Each structure stands twice: as C-alpha cells, then as structure tokens.
Amino acid sequence: MPDRHGEDTGAVTIAAVATVFTKIINGELPGRFVWSDDQVVAFLSINPLGPGHVLVVPREEVDQWLDAPDGLFDHVLTVAKAIGSVIRDTFSPPRVALMIAGFEVPHLHVHVHPAWGLEAFDFSQADSDPDAGEMDRHAESIRAGLRAAGHGSAVPDA
C-alpha cells in the first residue's frame, strides 16, 4: 500500500467487516424485529434468557457503550425502557432486566428481558434452541404492546 508520498510500504489494508448485528439490520440475516427507527432497531435474541428477550441495537456500529454519542445512547435507553414496559405488561415478571455485556458481538446492544430471579442474568442459562413459533408469538405480542403504547410509527410489520 502506498504511503502519503506514493511509495509502496508493503502494508495491507483490511476492509472492515460488518458485525452480525449490522447484517441483521441490513436484512442479510433474519431477525424478529419489534422496533425500527432511523437510529435504533430492536429484535428478539436468538438465545433468549426468557420469553421476549430483546436486543436494542443502534444502527451505527459502536463497539463499547462508553464510546456511543450521548444522544444515541440516550435514545437506545429510551427505546429499551419502552420495550421493557411492554415486556413487564406482557409477561408479568417481578423484574425486567437491562444488561449491557458486549462480549458476544463488538456492536453496542442492550439486553431487555423478563427476570424471575438472578439466573436471568446468567448467559449459560440461555435457550440455545428456542421454539420458532413461540418466538414469533413473543415478537408479535411485543409489537402489539408497543403499538398500543403509542409507538406504532417505530413498530415494523412482522
């Protein structure tokens, strides 16, 4: 690769690879979306810690939450709160969990899911083979709840 003087340095440029979340956002991989706006999407986790486990993900690829622009991070949390309210009303857990881990995919994402106890925070307890029909029903229940709460403009069709 040439340097700023046009001389070959022997360096190799490696193109950035889109994260799995960007591939889901772009429709290259399937996702059960419950929210979509110009900054953020939300879709069901493929390894849920409970029914209706949603990931809130900014469209912009930001690796760590501390690096997210304030307005974007604020919006992620606003969307997570709206979804959390619907999860509480739909599944009636004693708590709704909110987690930012960031080790699984290097793209900021917030986990929002019902919690009946501390095991709800243990990823080793995640369902690695959830029932597709049940996941579809959970997604539709969350979409319906978001529409009923006045968020219809951000709720995609199934």
Side-chain angles (χ1 to χ4, degrees):
M1 170 175 208
D3 65 10
R4 63 186 177 111
H5 301 292
E7 295 180 28
D8 188 2
T9 64
V12 176
T13 301
I14 299 173
V17 177
T19 70
V20 66
F21 291 157
T22 296
K23 291 178 180 182
I24 293 168
I25 291 166
N26 292 340
E28 298 169 44
L29 294 173
R32 290 178 175 86
F33 288 85
V34 298
W35 185 284
S36 181
D37 65 30
D38 61 336
Q39 296 182 71
V40 170
V41 299
F43 47 83
L44 263 60
S45 172
I46 61 169
N47 298 115
L49 286 165
H53 180 164
V54 171
L55 304 177
V56 181
V57 183
R59 291 179 179 278
E60 178 183 342
E61 285 188 2
V62 176
D63 182 5
Q64 297 192 33
W65 68 273
L66 291 170
D67 297 328
D70 290 341
L72 177 60
F73 190 67
D74 294 346
H75 187 61
V76 167
L77 292 181
T78 297
V79 171
K81 185 175 181 181
I83 291 169
S85 292
V86 170
I87 288 173
R88 180 183 56 201
D89 294 346
T90 302
F91 301 105
S92 302
R95 295 282 186 260
V96 175
L98 180 82
M99 285 193 297
I100 302 171
F103 289 101
E104 315 88 10
V105 178
H107 188 150
L108 170 61
H109 56 289
V110 175
H111 296 262
V112 185
H113 58 91
W116 281 271
L118 288 176
E119 67 279 356
F121 296 87
D122 181 355
F123 287 105
S124 72
Q125 300 296 313
D127 187 348
S128 61
D129 188 26
D131 179 81
E134 189 172 281
M135 296 277 286
D136 290 339
R137 286 187 294 279
H138 293 163
E140 186 49 45
S141 293
I142 293 168
R143 285 190 291 266
L146 288 167
R147 286 185 197 103
H151 302 290
S153 65
V155 179
D157 295 327

